Amino acid sequence: MKRKVKVEVAKAKQRAYNGLYARLDSKEETDLYRLARQRNRDGKDVQQVRVIKHRDGNVLTGARSVMGRW
């Protein structure tokens, strides 16, 4: 059962990639730029937003001020 499912998933992926490559080979460049933007976003590290309140209640957003408060 698992083997059949894996084969069907592989076939579906191949069909999707064939369609994508056909669109990329065409004159229309929107798909190419969309794919490039997605790869750019995937390559970036996810950074956490560091927000800590100071003793007097002010929000510290700078990396140095946050580390100093810690």
Side-chain angles (χ1 to χ4, degrees):
M1 178 81 170
K2 280 187 178 180
R3 179 107 175 113
K4 288 181 182 179
V5 171
K6 285 183 181 183
V7 168
E8 289 301 317
V9 168
K11 285 180 184 178
K13 276 184 163 180
Q14 188 62 39
R15 283 192 301 269
Y17 278 119
N18 286 340
L20 173 68
Y21 293 141
R23 286 193 318 263
L24 289 177
D25 286 339
S26 69
K27 296 279 184 182
E28 194 171 335
E29 295 178 346
T30 56
D31 288 329
L32 180 64
Y33 290 129
R34 184 174 47 139
L35 185 62
R37 281 195 308 268
Q38 182 63 38
R39 285 189 176 204
N40 185 23
R41 279 187 297 237
D42 288 344
K44 291 184 179 179
D45 288 335
V46 177
Q47 297 177 354
Q48 290 181 336
V49 178
R50 292 187 175 207
V51 177
I52 294 180
K53 288 189 177 182
H54 196 266
R55 289 186 187 115
D56 57 1
N58 294 336
V59 176
L60 304 174
T61 55
R64 294 183 108 184
S65 58
V66 168
M67 291 305 287
R69 172 70 173 102
W70 249 8

